[in-house]
Amino acid sequence: MLNKVHHVTYAVNSIADIADYMENNFDLKPIRVDEFTDRGFKSVLFQVGETLVDFFEPIRDDTALARQLRETGPGVMHVAWGVDDIDGMFNDLKAKGNELRGEGPSVSPYGYKTANIEPSSSHNIHFQLAEGEHS
């Protein structure tokens, strides 16, 4: 089942501004800065204990990330919960009546596997499951 907070993802207007804030206020330096053109965002990734914290900045206006920023402003996109058997959990959640995105877990741009429960199945909360570590 759930075994840790794998990562927390925030939507922000500027990853450069948040990277400066994190370093100046918490002495945290990014472990990665990336641009995922095909997915429409830039990211900055931090390691906080065993939890990853990433901040996404949209680079296109036609993404869910850009829509979220327009509608609600900066904030948490989702919390991903660590699991040990994401494939089995995906199938188990479907068998329990949950709607999940895709036909199975997918691989994140950082190399770990993820599965997303549709908010309509989880009291309008975006639950993401994650297995593995970043590459």
Side-chain angles (χ1 to χ4, degrees):
M1 286 305 191
L2 306 180
N3 58 31
K4 67 178 181 178
V5 174
H6 185 275
H7 68 272
V8 179
T9 299
Y10 290 89
V12 297
N13 292 310
S14 168
I15 62 168
D17 290 349
I18 201 68
D20 287 344
Y21 179 83
M22 296 297 281
E23 183 169 357
N24 292 333
N25 289 279
F26 303 110
D27 201 27
L28 284 173
K29 293 182 182 5
I31 59 172
R32 287 184 64 157
V33 177
D34 297 288
E35 185 166 324
F36 301 105
T37 308
D38 59 323
R39 296 178 185 225
F41 67 92
K42 296 188 288 188
S43 72
V44 60
L45 181 66
F46 296 89
Q47 184 82 44
V48 180
E50 69 174 16
T51 303
L52 297 171
V53 180
D54 52 4
F55 297 87
F56 290 177
E57 173 189 339
I59 56 175
R60 293 193 330 252
D61 289 333
D62 65 337
T63 63
L65 170 62
R67 282 190 299 280
Q68 178 178 337
L69 274 173
R70 282 192 303 272
E71 293 171 8
T72 62
V76 174
M77 286 182 61
H78 65 264
V79 174
W81 298 94
V83 298
D84 291 323
D85 177 17
I86 199 166
D87 296 295
M89 185 164 267
F90 185 93
N91 293 328
D92 185 52
L93 287 165
K94 281 189 89 156
K96 290 178 178 176
N98 289 277
E99 184 179 347
L100 286 97
R101 294 183 191 159
E103 298 302 313
S106 60
V107 177
S108 81
Y110 296 120
Y112 49 79
K113 292 171 82 173
T114 64
N116 292 282
I117 303 170
E118 289 294 345
S120 59
S121 293
S122 55
H123 302 280
N124 291 316
I125 300 295
H126 181 176
F127 280 93
Q128 184 177 82
L129 307 175
E131 177 183 41
E133 302 305 319
H134 73 87
S135 55

